[in-house]
Amino acid sequence: MITELRKQHSVKKIFGLDDNNCNMILETLFHGENLLILFGVSTVLFLLIFEVGYRIARERQTSIDEATKAWFTAIYSAILAMLGLLLGFSYAMAQQRFEVRKQLVVEEANAIGTTYLRAEWLPEPYRGDVAKLLRQYVDARLPKDLDSNRSIDELVQNASVLSERLLDQMWVRAVEVAKKDPTPVVSLFLSALNETIDLHAKRLAQFQNRIPNSVLLLLYLFTSVAMLITGYGSGLRSQRLVLPIVAMVVLVSTALYVVVDLDRPEGLINVSQGSMIRLQQKLMASTEPPAPISGQRTK
């Protein structure tokens, strides 16, 4: 066991790789700024792998009997079935994370709106201060500068730091007003603000909750093997059907692209920020919280 670990360490040392370097390479590969490059590279790579398998089969075609071909067909079907299973499993993981991110946007918008409504019952100057901070908070929670040279991770990190700073300022004012005026109304405001803080943490955690790079790597490896076996099978039949093979490669590459893109917080498939945008427009429409309406029921 110890000898095997030493061998693995030696191999990593020879190639100049360690766990951090491997993770950085996989992160750049699967979560880079432009996934269209990954799509193009994957398509070309799979076509080349197919051609390699085809040429290998053409060279060995005369040495393979019918029984071996039947055995090969069974292995090929099993590999394709496993690839389909992995694709479905990976898509389900990405889709689930996408739906959670979408739901959290709506929940956070509702929590901020509730906090804003309950802030109208606070005494001055806390009422105006909290309302101003909430407007700034909503503005900070919306994605910006996506066309800049900075990475998505850096933009999210900067937005998170600003959001946490605003939340800390609101919490300080909430504690102050609770000490001066410990009423049930203030308690309701604290509850709403606490939910807003919790949802900020949940959205940040969900941003970091992605499909493990090892799963994506396994998916690409299975696809590569499937393309190699497909090319090998075409060589055994002395047929290189270009159109069906190109269609298969493009479809598989597209499926892989959708899985990776769904797993990203920002890409061609984005979570709608409509709830936050509508809330921002509502809060920016006035310079202070709306006046209490007689008979209005607070959340």
Side-chain angles (χ1 to χ4, degrees):
M1 181 68 178
I2 297 177
T3 304
E4 184 66 24
L5 291 175
R6 287 177 178 175
K7 289 181 180 179
Q8 294 177 4
H9 179 73
S10 300
V11 172
K12 289 182 178 180
K13 187 175 181 181
I14 291 174
F15 288 96
L17 296 175
D18 56 20
D19 292 340
N20 292 331
N21 289 335
C22 292
N23 289 333
M24 289 179 61
I25 293 174
L26 293 177
E27 191 69 21
T28 303
L29 179 64
F30 296 124
H31 303 287
E33 294 303 310
N34 194 348
L35 283 183
L36 290 177
I37 297 177
L38 177 62
F39 172 79
V41 171
S42 300
T43 302
V44 174
L45 178 62
F46 294 152
L47 287 174
L48 290 176
I49 292 174
F50 168 84
E51 184 65 21
V52 170
Y54 179 84
R55 291 181 181 272
I56 293 175
R58 290 294 297 158
E59 293 177 358
R60 301 187 56 187
Q61 185 175 9
T62 56
S63 62
I64 298 178
D65 54 20
E66 293 299 325
T68 303
K69 290 183 179 180
W71 175 82
F72 168 81
T73 302
I75 296 298
Y76 176 62
S77 301
I79 291 176
L80 286 184
M82 294 178 66
L83 175 60
L85 181 63
L86 280 175
L87 273 173
F89 174 70
S90 301
Y91 179 82
M93 291 177 64
Q95 178 67 18
Q96 181 184 23
R97 285 161 171 76
F98 178 82
E99 293 296 333
V100 171
R101 291 198 302 270
K102 183 168 64 174
Q103 183 62 30
L104 286 177
V105 172
V106 177
E107 292 181 4
E108 184 176 33
N110 290 336
I112 296 173
T114 300
T115 305
Y116 187 82
L117 288 176
R118 292 180 180 179
E120 68 185 42
W121 302 101
L122 299 179
E124 291 291 356
Y126 303 104
R127 174 184 173 186
D129 290 344
V130 171
K132 180 180 178 181
L133 290 172
L134 281 173
R135 287 192 289 269
Q136 295 176 0
Y137 181 74
V138 173
D139 187 60
R141 299 302 290 160
L142 287 171
K144 305 178 188 65
D145 302 326
L146 295 181
D147 296 330
S148 65
N149 294 327
R150 292 182 295 178
S151 65
I152 297 297
D153 290 334
E154 184 179 357
L155 292 173
V156 171
Q157 181 63 29
N158 293 338
S160 178
V161 171
L162 177 58
S163 299
E164 290 174 0
R165 186 182 304 123
L166 294 171
L167 288 174
D168 290 340
Q169 296 177 18
M170 283 187 280
W171 187 255
V172 169
R173 286 161 175 77
V175 172
E176 291 179 357
V177 71
K179 291 179 179 179
K180 293 181 179 179
D181 188 19
T183 62
V185 171
V186 174
S187 177
L188 288 174
F189 169 74
L190 286 172
S191 177
L193 180 58
N194 184 71
E195 183 178 2
T196 299
I197 296 173
D198 290 344
L199 284 169
H200 167 268
K202 289 181 180 179
R203 286 193 65 186
L204 182 60
Q206 191 60 34
F207 171 82
Q208 300 169 342
N209 182 24
R210 302 176 183 176
I211 297 177
N213 290 329
S214 57
V215 174
L216 295 176
L217 181 61
L218 179 64
L219 187 58
Y220 273 83
L221 288 177
F222 257 87
T223 305
S224 299
V225 173
M227 293 304 166
L228 181 66
I229 299 300
T230 302
Y232 193 86
S234 298
L236 293 179
R237 294 172 175 83
S238 302
Q239 293 180 342
R240 187 195 282 115
L241 302 177
V242 178
L243 183 59
I245 295 304
V246 171
M248 176 183 177
V249 169
V250 171
L251 288 176
V252 173
S253 297
T254 302
L256 293 172
Y257 175 87
V258 171
V259 169
V260 177
D261 192 50
L262 269 177
D263 194 45
R264 288 160 49 96
E266 292 295 337
L268 292 181
I269 306 175
N270 292 324
V271 174
S272 174
Q273 301 290 324
S275 299
M276 295 293 290
I277 293 175
R278 288 189 293 271
L279 178 62
Q280 182 189 45
Q281 294 172 349
K282 178 180 178 181
L283 300 189
M284 292 300 177
S286 61
T287 57
E288 61 181 12
I293 300 176
S294 177
Q296 182 183 29
R297 181 173 63 88
T298 59
K299 295 184 180 180

